[in-house]
Amino acid sequence: QVRLVETGGGLVQAGGSLKLTCFASGRASSTYAMGWFRQVPGKEREFLATILWTGGPDTYYADSVKDRFTISRDNAKNTVYLQMNSLEPEDTAVYYCAIQRSRTEIGVYFYTRISDYDIWGQGTQVTVSS
């Protein structure tokens, strides 16, 4: 069984930065991509970024975080990162990482829906103060 653990969350002032880390303990049967999502109470989990596990690396971002957030990976460490810059109070949320085991649609490379991902971490709280 693979367990994902997110770390690096905390309290930061608006305009500041945080770097989140997601470590995969154990082995997944397969890994196509890893992604970052966030969620606030009462709202749907929101896609932020995804990175393919091999090649490129190729990445894709939600418009809301593009040019502010950067996803990266270290395959040897089974780890994915999310560098977050220029944080705003609206970025306050619980941040989750996830594994997508395989592609599910021919011709589609980047997946953004929570249903596309198979393994989830417990989340780490990010709070941005004004």
Side-chain angles (χ1 to χ4, degrees), residues 2-7 21-24 34-37 39 45 94-99 117-124:
V2 176
R3 298 176 182 175
L4 298 180
V5 179
E6 303 97 333
T7 58
T21 298
C22 176
F23 172 68
M34 296 188 70
W36 285 97
F37 293 73
Q39 189 170 23
R45 195 163 295 186
V94 177
Y95 284 68
Y96 298 89
C97 68
I99 292 174
Y117 292 80
D118 305 289
I119 304 171
W120 294 84
Q122 84 292 339
T124 185

Side-chain angles (χ1 to χ4, degrees), residues 97-118:
C97 68
I99 292 174
Q100 182 182 13
R101 289 172 177 165
S102 63
R103 293 172 63 182
T104 57
E105 185 174 352
I106 299 297
V108 178
Y109 292 89
F110 301 110
Y111 294 81
T112 63
R113 302 190 302 180
I114 59 173
S115 60
D116 296 319
Y117 292 80
D118 305 289

Side-chain angles (χ1 to χ4, degrees), residues 35-84:
W36 285 97
F37 293 73
R38 67 186 179 190
Q39 189 170 23
V40 299
K43 292 189 176 182
E44 296 292 322
R45 195 163 295 186
E46 176 189 8
F47 167 80
L48 300 175
T50 186
I51 184 168
L52 304 191
W53 202 240
T54 60
D58 295 320
T59 60
Y60 179 79
Y61 299 89
D63 289 341
S64 61
V65 302
K66 189 175 183 179
D67 300 325
R68 294 194 300 126
F69 292 8
T70 302
I71 188 171
S72 60
R73 57 167 163 82
D74 187 333
N75 297 68
K77 296 181 179 179
N78 296 313
T79 300
V80 65
Y81 307 94
L82 186 68
Q83 177 66 50
M84 305 185 295

